[in-house]
């Protein structure tokens, strides 16, 4: 059975899209079949995979592949179309077997208001009963059609109804962060907000209206896998002191606030499950610290390939510079290899509810 993992943080600029792409690639490289779903109306993940950077290019893609995007996939529920939600044509990611993409749509946000109303009034308005469970139904449908082991959800930096619904429909979630003041504040915000979303999801799943809908809203199973801290400048193999200070603060806030608040609402794994994956809840649930890609990011984006999978030809240098690039590339490979292994271990067994 597939596992659905959301990458979520309402703070922007924390490399959610890059992490989704790189993690998906590494999981596929390890033999797993992976479907990535771009739910961010900015469509950065779709642009990366398709090599698009303009609205004109996306318009052409939508015209040529009218049924291959997340908005069309959800349209039967949100636009009351006389057809059921079905799987869509996934894009095969160039250069990586077993890695697929459900492209995003720049107008997906049009469904935000309707979904918000549905989630507030679904117990009393029959016409809206199919909306809250539509995304969960679609994820299961596309995962089954593509025999996926993992479904990765690249989410927008928002606290709207759509993200609330998408996140509460997932099995697990990761929180990408950057070492700065705003990420620390975001952890504080999530510590307060996510328990409210979880309690809403529990109540929604118990509503008879949603239980008997064509697309039932699922009982929440969401579990916190941990954080990923990235985009820091390294110095002598470690984060420079200014960045390390923010890294320490993020870990402290996760350990002291986010972890305990999620545990109280049944949204963490058992301590021994984290420990088995080499994750330390008593330090801050951090799965990986990833330095800034610096000069390698251009080659990565140009070749639509993760930094750790760049070939020597893709790196485009010779001599000493090439050797330096290879060393950096191989270091990133070790980092993402370890990250993927931790995700695999954390999601290997049936979910369990921690003892409070």
């Amino acid at each position: 059975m597939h596992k659905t993992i959301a990458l979520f943080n309402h703070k922007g600029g924390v490399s959610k899209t890059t992490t989704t792409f790189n993690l998906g690639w590494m999981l596929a490289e390890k033999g797993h079949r992976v479907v990535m779903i771009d739910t961010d109306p900015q469509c950065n993940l779709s642009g990366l995979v398709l090599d698009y950077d303009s609205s004109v290019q996306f318009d052409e893609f939508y015209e040529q592949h009218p049924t291959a995007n997340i908005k069309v996939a959800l349209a039967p529920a949100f636009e009351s179309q006389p057809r059921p939600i079905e799987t869509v044509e996934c894009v095969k990611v160039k250069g990586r077997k077993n890695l697929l993409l459900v492209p995003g749509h720049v107008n997906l946000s049009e469904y935000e208001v309707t979904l918000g109303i549905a989630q507030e009034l679904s117990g009393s308005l029959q016409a809206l009963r199919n909306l809250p469970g539509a995304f969960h139904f679609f994820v299961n449908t596309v995962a089954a059609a593509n025999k996926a082991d993992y479904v990765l959800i690249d989410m927008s930096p928002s606290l709207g109804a759509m993200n609330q619904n998408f996140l509460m429909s997932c099995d697990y979630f990761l929180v990408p962060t950057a070492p700065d003041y705003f990420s620390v504040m975001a952890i504080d915000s999530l510590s307060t907000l996510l328990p409210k979303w979880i309690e809403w999801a529990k109540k929604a799943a118990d509503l008879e209206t949603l239980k008997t809908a064509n697309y039932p809203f699922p009982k929440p199973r969401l579990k916190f896998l941990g954080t990923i801290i990235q985009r820091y400048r390294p110095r002598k193999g470690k984060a420079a002191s200014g960045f390390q200070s923010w890294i320490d603060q993020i870990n402290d806030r996760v350990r002291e606030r986010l972890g305990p608040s999620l545990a109280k609402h049944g949204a963490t794994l058992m301590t021994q499950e984290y420990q088995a994956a080499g994750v330390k809840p008593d330090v801050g649930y951090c799965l990986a610290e990833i330095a800034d890609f610096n000069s390698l990011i251009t080659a990565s984006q140009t070749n639509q390939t993760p930094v750790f999978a760049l070939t020597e030809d893709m790196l485009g240098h010779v001599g000493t510079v090439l050797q330096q690039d290879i060393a950096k590339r191989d270091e990133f490979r070790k980092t993402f290899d370890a990250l993927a292994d931790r995700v695999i271990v954390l999601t290997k067994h049936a979910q369990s509810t921690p003892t409070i």
Side-chain angles (χ1 to χ4, degrees):
M1 185 175 180
H2 75 274
K3 290 102 171 179
T4 305
I5 304 173
L7 287 91
F8 174 67
N9 189 339
H10 60 298
K11 178 194 180 301
V14 294
S15 298
K16 287 188 296 294
T17 295
T18 302
T19 305
T20 302
F21 182 61
N22 289 357
L23 177 59
W25 187 291
M26 183 58 78
L27 288 170
E29 187 174 303
K30 288 177 175 289
H32 298 281
R33 194 158 174 83
V34 182
V35 174
M36 304 180 296
I37 302 180
D38 189 354
T39 66
D40 187 345
Q42 295 183 39
C43 296
N44 291 326
L45 179 60
S46 303
L48 175 60
V49 171
L50 298 169
D51 195 24
Y52 291 171
D53 60 5
S54 73
S55 58
V56 173
Q57 289 173 306
F58 274 107
D59 285 342
E60 292 176 351
F61 174 80
Y62 297 145
E63 290 177 3
Q64 295 170 8
H65 306 273
T67 62
N69 66 76
I70 183 63
K71 184 174 185 286
V72 169
L74 299 178
F78 283 85
E79 299 178 17
S80 300
Q81 295 180 355
R83 63 184 181 89
I85 289 177
E86 299 173 334
T87 189
V88 298
E89 175 190 358
C90 292
V91 173
K92 295 180 180 179
V93 176
K94 183 182 71 174
R96 182 67 268 162
K97 181 182 178 182
N98 287 334
L99 184 59
L100 306 168
L101 170 74
V102 174
H105 197 289
V106 294
N107 294 328
L108 179 63
S109 55
E110 293 175 1
Y111 293 160
E112 183 85 45
V113 173
T114 307
L115 181 59
I117 295 172
Q119 293 183 166
E120 290 296 324
L121 302 176
S122 55
S124 57
L125 296 181
Q126 291 287 323
L128 301 177
R129 64 202 299 256
N130 284 326
L131 272 59
F135 179 73
H136 179 254
F137 184 91
F138 169 68
V139 170
N140 286 344
T141 301
V142 75
N146 291 281
K147 299 180 180 179
D149 299 305
Y150 289 95
V151 177
L152 303 185
I153 313 296
D154 184 23
M155 299 178 63
S156 67
S158 164
L159 294 178
M162 197 161 287
N163 272 358
Q164 177 183 4
N165 180 280
F166 294 171
L167 184 61
M168 291 302 111
S169 298
C170 291
D171 300 317
Y172 305 95
F173 74 110
L174 291 163
V175 179
T177 66
D180 57 31
Y181 170 81
F182 299 102
S183 280
V184 174
M185 293 299 99
I187 295 299
D188 285 342
S189 176
L190 292 176
S191 301
T192 301
L193 180 75
L194 291 182
K196 296 179 180 178
W197 282 8
I198 293 168
E199 291 307 307
W200 164 81
K202 290 177 180 177
K203 293 177 181 177
D206 286 336
L207 289 174
E208 191 64 27
T209 304
L210 299 187
K211 285 182 180 180
T212 58
N214 292 336
Y215 313 121
F217 186 77
K219 287 185 176 296
R221 298 166 43 87
L222 188 69
K223 302 294 183 184
F224 176 52
L225 295 182
T227 63
I228 299 171
I229 304 175
Q230 51 204 328
R231 302 189 68 176
Y232 65 83
R233 292 177 185 172
R235 185 175 183 180
K236 296 181 179 180
K238 297 182 179 180
S241 59
F243 290 98
Q244 187 61 52
S245 175
W246 289 118
I247 291 172
D248 292 341
Q249 289 187 56
I250 290 171
N251 284 332
D252 288 345
R253 296 298 175 93
V254 175
R255 183 188 71 249
E256 296 170 0
R257 295 202 58 189
L258 182 59
S261 68
L262 292 172
K264 289 179 181 178
H265 292 79
T268 56
L269 301 171
M270 300 294 287
T271 298
Q272 57 266 35
E273 293 177 279
Y274 290 111
Q275 292 174 339
V279 180
K280 301 176 180 178
D282 59 337
V283 175
Y285 295 88
C286 184
L287 273 68
E289 293 182 7
I290 304 170
D292 199 307
F293 294 151
N294 293 321
S295 59
L296 297 183
I297 191 63
T298 300
S300 174
Q301 293 173 344
T302 299
N303 292 283
Q304 301 159 264
T305 303
V307 165
F308 61 78
L310 291 170
T311 65
E312 292 185 17
D313 287 342
M314 291 175 180
L315 290 170
H317 293 128
V318 297
T320 301
V321 176
L322 174 60
Q323 294 308 311
Q324 292 173 345
D325 285 348
I326 290 173
K328 293 177 184 177
R329 178 201 66 188
D330 292 348
E331 183 178 340
F332 283 118
R333 169 167 285 280
K334 292 179 181 178
T335 299
F336 280 98
D337 183 79
L339 171 59
D341 282 345
R342 285 173 175 162
V343 168
I344 291 168
V345 172
L346 288 170
T347 60
K348 183 176 181 180
H349 302 294
Q351 296 178 350
S352 54
T353 302
T355 302
I356 305 301

